[in-house]
Amino acid sequence: MSAPDHTVPGQASALDSAGAALAVVDADGVLVRWTEVAHRLLGHAAADVLGRHSSMLLDGPGDGPQGFTREWAGPVALRHRGGRRLDVDLRVTGLPGAAGTMDWLVSTAGVPPSVLESAAELCPFPMAIWDSDLRTAWLNDALADHFGLSREERLGRHLDESPLYANTEQVESLLREVLESGVPVIDRELSQLDRLRHRAYALSVFRIEDVRHGLPGVCSVNVDVTESRRARDRMTVLGRAATSIGTNLDVLQTAQDLADLLVPLLADYATIDLAESVRLGNAPLTRLGPMEGGNVPVFHRAGIASVHDDYRESLFARGSPVFVPPHSPFVEVLRSGRTYMETELDTEPGTWLEEDPQRLRRVLEHGMHSLLILPVHARGEILGVAVLVRSENPTPFDENDRTLAEELVSRAALSLDNARRYTREHNMALTLQRSLLPRNPSAGFSLETIWRYLPADTQDGVGGDWFDVIRLSGARVALVVGDVVGHGLNAAAAMGRIRTAVSTLAGLDLPPDRLLSALDDLVVRQGFEDSDDTSPTTGILGATCVYAVYDPIDERLTIARAGHPPPAIITPDGTAAFPEIPSGAPLGVGLRSFPSVELELPAGSVIAMYTDGLVETRDRDIDDGMERLRTALTRPPGTSLEDLCDEVVDLLPTRGQDDDVALLLARTCRLSADRVFSMEVPAEAAAVGRARAEAVRQLSAWGLDRVRAGAEQVVGELVANAVRHGAGPVRLRLIRHMKLACEVFDAGPGPPLPRHPEPTDEGGRGLVIIAELCTRWGVRRTGEGKIVWAELALTDEERLPPGPEC
């Protein structure tokens, strides 16, 4: 009979799982334990040998082990089940049995059981043996040290009574699966409770046989992989940060993205507070007034996140200034550029929180116990601070948290700085563009105008589209729309140069074709000046323009275009069409050929000028877009320009257009005959007096006695210059409009040149007198000669409102 078994339940089973072939023989030499390794070595299954005498294993007689019932070590010849001889080294070691009896451990390994047991006890990895009911049968010191509770407190207790794992049900299911199937589980990663701290372990489980009681068990081995998991999680988090932070160039949104990433990953509550050097929008941040300790920078809350939806921890709303006491870690972090960590937040009297009672109340009210304040700095400049707080999570911040937080904030800081720099450039470009676009374009009584400027992106889109309405002499008006490809400061600056050039050339009263030729020459020369290799391609590229002049007296529109879409004309009956206007090359090509077209426009016609962003998109060609525009502009007679503008704007996609859009609508008026006086003047000196007299009579008829004396002298000087220095025929015209225009036409080729007469000179003062009496004067050429004109200012009462023909 075998001796009673007094070993700790499961202890022998643990030895059964060793790598050597093992067997246990009782005091009578009967085999009572047999391992799987022994089975593989000799071919005998446990059922074949248990209960039989150990001498059956020997290959022939021998007095060596004597049935393995005494301690000894040496070579032995054993018989394999298949009949072959096996020479092995065996060790026989006594094991205390019940009632003072002795069992014997037979092992092919030359390691005594005490050493094996010691190795299991001293193994640095937590190990435990669970019986078939999943009660703790054995555990080593490493497990007790890592998870608390002594060996005695855990032995015999069920898994759910002595939890080691964050998810006990999951682990229990795993142990039972291995117990039933016998298939080991290797390196199953789980979260476990380790003295109130969550750590990651790779759990391995294998089944062991306890044939003495006939019941199997399982052995679990835990390997701490917390650091490797943290490294992997850190890479995952940094990857998330790379894809979720800095996806746009908005300072507030970038700060909020960072706060949202920090909660609940690292903190229960987090804020991103930026200092006064950062602009949250269009206005700069300010400073607090003098305080104890000097000027304290004002932080503004750019981002906030919390595990609570109502942000109950926060004293300040997003976007508002944030007060901090002068002697606080917030200011110190901003000053030093180093992270501040308070593992256990000290709320006792005498700390920095005493200077900030409101914040102290929130800290106590919501159980905030651990604090991290990190500098947000990029490219050598500190932009603000990131504040992380734990309240719901009982674990204080540690160095691992600090390192990860610093990495996240550092990466986000670059995105914040990019957003800050972009915002600054964007505001500069927007300011430049707004300063260059006309603020209140007005054509006087000649045209009724309305306009829209729609950037592709209302936040980021500052482009090169532009328009202008320019009053010319003789009640005429110039309409111009242009487009410079691109966005940002370069496009806005290029647009400004072109618009200024157009305004200057328009002041010279150049016709549209000659104006665009001169503008093309300016752009080409600008390209050469900007280039490094005398190549004009580095200047303004992709600039287009359409320039039109409307004369309300003749009711004629003269148009020329440089690579720009043609304007649409809406007749008084509401029909819209695109007139045939030759398209010159875009500006800067240097061809200088821009044929112009003259159109007769009856009063009440509408001119629609626009940029290509209105009619051309990535998924729609320009022909289709122009047809849609024509349909939108075709409206019943009398439709207001405001409604017409809204119809056109509705063509734009609801999800944002691809390009900027400039739209200018102008309804024509005809200057009635009673506002224009014209007379032929003979090319003789005596005719000067008659011209002055007729002008005086007309001014009296108009009720313009206030300007009569000045106008009489201006008319006399203009007519005298034409008669004396020009060529006939000579014609005088007075136009009552926003100003009183005096025009004298003659067929002479050369324009009059101002002189600077000496005091003794008898003549040469005519243009000097005109310049003194008039608001402006000038010369414009016609096909037959030239017109010298001058304008005198009128009061609001002296101006006539639009007549019935407008």
Side-chain angles (χ1 to χ4, degrees), residues 401-736:
D401 299 323
R402 173 178 180 160
T403 301
L404 179 56
E406 286 178 339
E407 185 74 21
L408 290 173
V409 172
S410 175
R411 294 196 176 199
L414 290 174
S415 298
L416 278 171
D417 191 52
N418 290 338
R420 179 189 65 138
R421 291 168 181 257
Y422 171 79
T423 300
R424 182 171 57 195
E425 179 177 336
H426 170 68
N427 290 336
M428 291 170 59
L430 191 60
T431 301
L432 175 62
Q433 185 186 50
R434 287 173 176 172
S435 68
L436 295 174
L437 289 175
R439 297 185 180 182
N440 186 26
S442 173
F445 297 151
S446 302
L447 292 171
E448 176 192 358
T449 58
I450 191 172
W451 58 275
R452 294 284 190 274
Y453 180 81
L454 304 170
D457 189 328
T458 56
Q459 295 295 323
D460 303 331
V462 180
D465 291 18
W466 59 280
F467 68 94
D468 211 344
V469 178
I470 306 171
R471 295 183 192 176
L472 304 177
S473 63
R476 296 170 307 126
V477 179
L479 303 174
V480 56
V481 173
D483 185 3
V484 176
V485 175
H487 290 80
L489 277 175
N490 289 338
M495 176 267 284
R497 293 200 299 269
I498 293 180
R499 179 175 178 266
T500 301
V502 169
S503 180
T504 302
L505 295 172
L508 300 176
D509 262 326
L510 297 178
D513 55 342
R514 290 183 55 196
L515 182 142
L516 289 181
S517 295
L519 184 62
D520 183 51
D521 183 60
L522 286 173
V523 173
V524 170
R525 284 192 283 114
Q526 181 68 53
F528 275 109
E529 293 172 2
D530 290 345
S531 68
D532 297 329
D533 55 358
T534 69
S535 171
T537 58
T538 57
I540 300 172
L541 296 178
T544 64
C545 182
V546 57
Y547 184 83
V549 175
Y550 174 68
D551 189 335
I553 298 176
D554 297 336
E555 295 184 282
R556 301 186 71 83
L557 183 72
T558 306
I559 309 174
R561 60 191 181 109
H564 202 85
I569 304 297
I570 303 98
T571 58
D573 65 2
T575 303
F578 296 99
E580 291 291 335
I581 303 171
S583 175
L587 297 173
V589 175
L591 298 181
R592 303 181 187 176
S593 177
F594 305 95
S596 62
V597 171
E598 285 193 357
L599 304 173
E600 292 187 6
L601 293 185
S605 300
V606 176
I607 307 162
M609 301 170 68
Y610 52 92
T611 53
D612 60 358
L614 182 64
V615 294
E616 188 175 23
T617 62
R618 294 188 183 96
D619 56 354
R620 186 179 67 198
D621 61 35
I622 192 169
D623 292 335
D624 178 55
M626 291 179 65
E627 178 59 27
R628 287 164 57 89
L629 175 60
R630 188 195 66 78
T631 302
L633 291 172
T634 301
R635 287 291 176 267
T639 302
S640 69
L641 290 185
E642 188 75 34
D643 292 341
L644 200 58
C645 214
D646 291 341
E647 291 290 340
V648 174
V649 171
D650 286 343
L651 294 175
L652 299 175
T654 57
R655 297 183 181 179
Q657 68 267 21
D658 299 327
D659 195 6
D660 301 334
V661 171
L663 172 66
L664 177 62
L665 300 182
R667 176 172 278 128
T668 64
C669 295
R670 184 173 75 86
L671 205 61
S672 57
D674 61 351
R675 303 183 194 185
V676 181
F677 167 77
S678 180
M679 67 174 288
E680 297 293 331
V681 180
E684 56 187 35
V688 175
R690 291 195 299 271
R692 292 174 61 160
E694 290 295 328
V696 168
R697 279 194 294 271
Q698 183 61 49
L699 293 175
S700 296
W702 280 343
L704 300 179
D705 295 330
R706 186 187 63 83
V707 297
R708 184 176 58 187
E712 180 183 2
Q713 191 165 1
V714 169
V715 168
E717 296 292 342
L718 291 177
V719 173
N721 279 340
V723 170
R724 188 176 304 162
H725 304 291
V730 177
R731 186 170 61 252
L732 169 67
R733 185 166 72 169
L734 302 178
I735 303 172
R736 184 183 184 185

Side-chain angles (χ1 to χ4, degrees), residues 79 108 193 199 274 341 357 524 590 601 629-630 698 758:
R79 184 187 308 113
T108 57
L193 297 172
R199 301 188 66 83
L274 301 181
M341 183 169 68
V524 170
L601 293 185
L629 175 60
R630 188 195 66 78
Q698 183 61 49
E758 297 296 331

Side-chain angles (χ1 to χ4, degrees), residues 84-270:
R84 70 179 183 275
R85 175 189 174 99
L86 293 177
D87 293 319
V88 297
D89 289 327
L90 292 183
R91 175 181 291 275
V92 180
T93 308
L95 291 176
T101 61
M102 182 70 71
D103 290 343
W104 304 94
L105 175 66
V106 182
S107 172
T108 57
V111 182
S114 59
V115 175
L116 295 176
E117 183 177 353
S118 176
E121 290 287 355
L122 298 177
C123 176
F125 303 121
M127 298 177 60
I129 295 177
W130 312 85
D131 63 17
S132 57
D133 294 326
L134 299 187
R135 297 183 180 276
T136 308
W138 175 86
L139 69 155
N140 66 353
D141 292 337
L143 187 140
D145 292 341
H146 276 73
F147 302 104
L149 298 182
S150 65
R151 185 192 305 265
E152 291 74 17
E153 291 174 306
R154 287 192 179 274
L155 284 174
R157 300 179 66 178
H158 193 270
L159 176 63
D160 57 11
E161 297 174 354
S162 179
L164 302 174
Y165 307 93
N167 190 335
T168 300
E169 293 182 358
Q170 178 186 6
V171 176
E172 181 177 352
S173 175
L174 181 66
L175 296 181
R176 290 201 178 279
E177 177 185 337
V178 174
L179 187 65
E180 294 172 1
S181 68
V183 178
V185 171
I186 307 299
D187 290 340
R188 181 71 60 84
E189 194 168 307
L190 297 169
S191 293
Q192 290 184 294
L193 297 172
D194 180 358
R195 297 177 185 259
L196 299 180
R197 297 181 64 86
H198 289 277
R199 301 188 66 83
Y201 285 87
L203 175 64
S204 297
V205 182
F206 56 91
R207 190 170 71 176
I208 55 178
E209 301 295 338
D210 186 353
V211 296
R212 180 183 295 277
H213 299 287
L215 297 174
V218 289
C219 179
S220 63
V221 180
N222 300 292
V223 179
D224 191 336
V225 293
T226 304
E227 294 306 320
S228 61
R229 173 186 269 190
R230 281 179 176 170
R232 186 171 66 250
D233 291 346
R234 180 176 176 179
M235 295 302 297
T236 301
V237 170
L238 294 177
R240 284 175 51 195
T243 57
S244 63
I245 299 176
T247 56
N248 58 66
L249 291 171
D250 181 82
V251 173
L252 280 172
Q253 186 58 51
T254 301
Q256 186 59 47
D257 291 341
L258 173 58
D260 290 338
L261 184 64
L262 294 173
V263 175
L265 176 69
L266 284 174
D268 299 315
Y269 167 63

Side-chain angles (χ1 to χ4, degrees), residues 40-57:
R40 291 196 296 270
L41 177 65
L42 296 177
H44 296 285
D48 299 333
V49 298
L50 291 178
R52 300 179 63 183
H53 199 274
S54 58
S55 59
M56 66 168 288
L57 301 177

Side-chain angles (χ1 to χ4, degrees), residues 304-479:
I304 179 172
S306 171
V307 292
H308 304 110
D309 294 336
D310 56 1
Y311 307 119
R312 63 191 63 172
E313 303 94 334
S314 182
L315 287 168
F316 309 98
R318 186 168 176 245
S320 64
V322 176
F323 168 77
V324 295
H327 303 293
S328 67
F330 304 99
V331 177
E332 180 59 32
V333 167
L334 193 65
R335 182 182 299 116
S336 67
R338 293 191 296 270
T339 299
Y340 173 87
M341 183 169 68
E342 199 166 343
T343 304
E344 298 294 336
L345 191 56
D346 189 357
T347 58
E348 294 298 320
T351 63
W352 65 272
L353 281 170
E354 192 173 25
E355 296 185 31
D356 195 349
Q358 285 187 308
R359 185 175 275 109
L360 177 59
R361 280 196 297 271
R362 291 295 175 95
V363 168
L364 297 175
E365 180 181 351
H366 299 289
M368 304 180 191
H369 63 84
S370 194
L371 173 69
L372 257 179
I373 306 176
L374 305 101
V376 181
H377 54 75
R379 300 182 176 98
E381 184 175 358
I382 297 181
L383 310 179
V385 295
V387 182
L388 285 69
V389 176
R390 281 183 178 171
S391 54
E392 304 294 331
N393 184 350
T395 306
F397 289 115
D398 59 19
E399 286 300 323
N400 289 312
D401 299 323
R402 173 178 180 160
T403 301
L404 179 56
E406 286 178 339
E407 185 74 21
L408 290 173
V409 172
S410 175
R411 294 196 176 199
L414 290 174
S415 298
L416 278 171
D417 191 52
N418 290 338
R420 179 189 65 138
R421 291 168 181 257
Y422 171 79
T423 300
R424 182 171 57 195
E425 179 177 336
H426 170 68
N427 290 336
M428 291 170 59
L430 191 60
T431 301
L432 175 62
Q433 185 186 50
R434 287 173 176 172
S435 68
L436 295 174
L437 289 175
R439 297 185 180 182
N440 186 26
S442 173
F445 297 151
S446 302
L447 292 171
E448 176 192 358
T449 58
I450 191 172
W451 58 275
R452 294 284 190 274
Y453 180 81
L454 304 170
D457 189 328
T458 56
Q459 295 295 323
D460 303 331
V462 180
D465 291 18
W466 59 280
F467 68 94
D468 211 344
V469 178
I470 306 171
R471 295 183 192 176
L472 304 177
S473 63
R476 296 170 307 126
V477 179
L479 303 174

